[in-house]
C-alpha cells in the first residue's frame, strides 16, 4: 500500500448502513455495510494521477470531488471495513501508476516490400471480380 493510499484511509469518513443480502433477520437490525468517503482534493494528487483516478473511479466519484465506496459483501462491520479500505487502496495505487509507454514497432525494408506486394496481389484479385467490359 502506497503512502497516498495510507493517507486516504486516514482521511476517510466511515459510515455504517444496513445492507441487503445474507444474514437473515440480523440484516434488518444491524448496520454492517460500510460507506467510505474520501475527499480527492485533500490527497494532493498530480493532475495526471487525478485524471487517471477520475477515469477509474467512474460513478464512484461525486461532483463534490469525493470517492464513495460501498462494501456490503460480508456479514460483519470489520470485514466490510477492511474490504472497502482495500478497494480504496487498490483504486489509488492503480491511478498513481503511470501507464507503460508503448514501444513503436519497426518494420524492416524487406517486410515492407512483402506487405506492399501482398496488397498489390490482393487488389488485382479484387479488380478481376468486377463486371467485364466487352
Amino acid at each position: 500500500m502506497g503512502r497516498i493510499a495510507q493517507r486516504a484511509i486516514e482521511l476517510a469518513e466511515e459510515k455504517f448502513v444496513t445492507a441487503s443480502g445474507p444474514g437473515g433477520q440480523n440484516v434488518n437490525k444491524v448496520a454492517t455495510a460500510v460507506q467510505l468517503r474520501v475527499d480527492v482534493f485533500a490527497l494532493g494528487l498530480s493532475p495526471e494521477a487525478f485524471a487517471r483516478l477520475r477515469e477509474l473511479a467512474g460513478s464512484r466519484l461525486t461532483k463534490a470531488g469525493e470517492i464513495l465506496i460501498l462494501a456490503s459483501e460480508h456479514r460483519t462491520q470489520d470485514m466490510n471495513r477492511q474490504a472497502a479500505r482495500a478497494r480504496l487502496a487498490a483504486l489509488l495505487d492503480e491511478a498513481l501508476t503511470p501507464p507503460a509507454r508503448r514501444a513503436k514497432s519497426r518494420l524492416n525494408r524487406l517486410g515492407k516490400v512483402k506487405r506492399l506486394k501482398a496488397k498489390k496481389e490482393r487488389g488485382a484479385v479484387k479488380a478481376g471480380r468486377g463486371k467485364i467490359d466487352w
Side-chain angles (χ1 to χ4, degrees):
M1 185 181 324
R3 183 178 46 85
I4 292 183
Q6 189 68 38
R7 180 165 159 69
I9 290 172
E10 291 169 6
L11 292 173
E13 295 176 23
E14 292 175 344
K15 182 179 175 186
F16 294 98
V17 293
T18 55
S20 61
Q25 294 293 316
N26 195 50
V27 81
N28 298 325
K29 57 188 179 180
V30 180
T32 55
V34 65
Q35 280 184 347
L36 203 62
R37 211 176 265 273
V38 180
D39 184 15
V40 176
F41 301 117
L43 299 177
L45 299 174
S46 67
E48 298 84 18
F50 179 73
R52 284 192 297 270
L53 180 63
R54 188 173 49 210
E55 186 73 30
L56 289 168
S59 62
R60 291 177 289 193
L61 186 66
T62 65
K63 288 187 179 181
E66 294 179 329
I67 294 178
L68 179 65
I69 295 178
L70 179 68
S72 63
E73 56 267 7
H74 302 288
R75 289 186 180 207
T76 63
Q77 278 186 354
D78 191 46
M79 293 287 285
N80 282 328
R81 177 188 283 141
Q82 289 175 11
R85 287 177 174 181
R87 271 197 252 157
L88 175 64
L91 183 70
L92 286 170
D93 285 343
E94 191 174 347
L96 290 169
T97 305
R101 291 188 51 96
R102 181 182 172 275
K104 286 177 77 173
S105 59
R106 188 164 173 271
L107 199 60
N108 61 13
R109 186 183 54 81
L110 193 61
K112 192 183 270 189
V113 169
K114 278 176 65 174
R115 183 179 63 86
L116 292 174
K117 183 180 174 208
K119 282 174 67 97
K120 277 275 192 233
E121 288 173 5
R122 191 75 187 134
V125 168
K126 288 185 173 188
R129 290 185 188 153
K131 284 191 173 183
I132 300 171
D133 187 22
W134 297 102

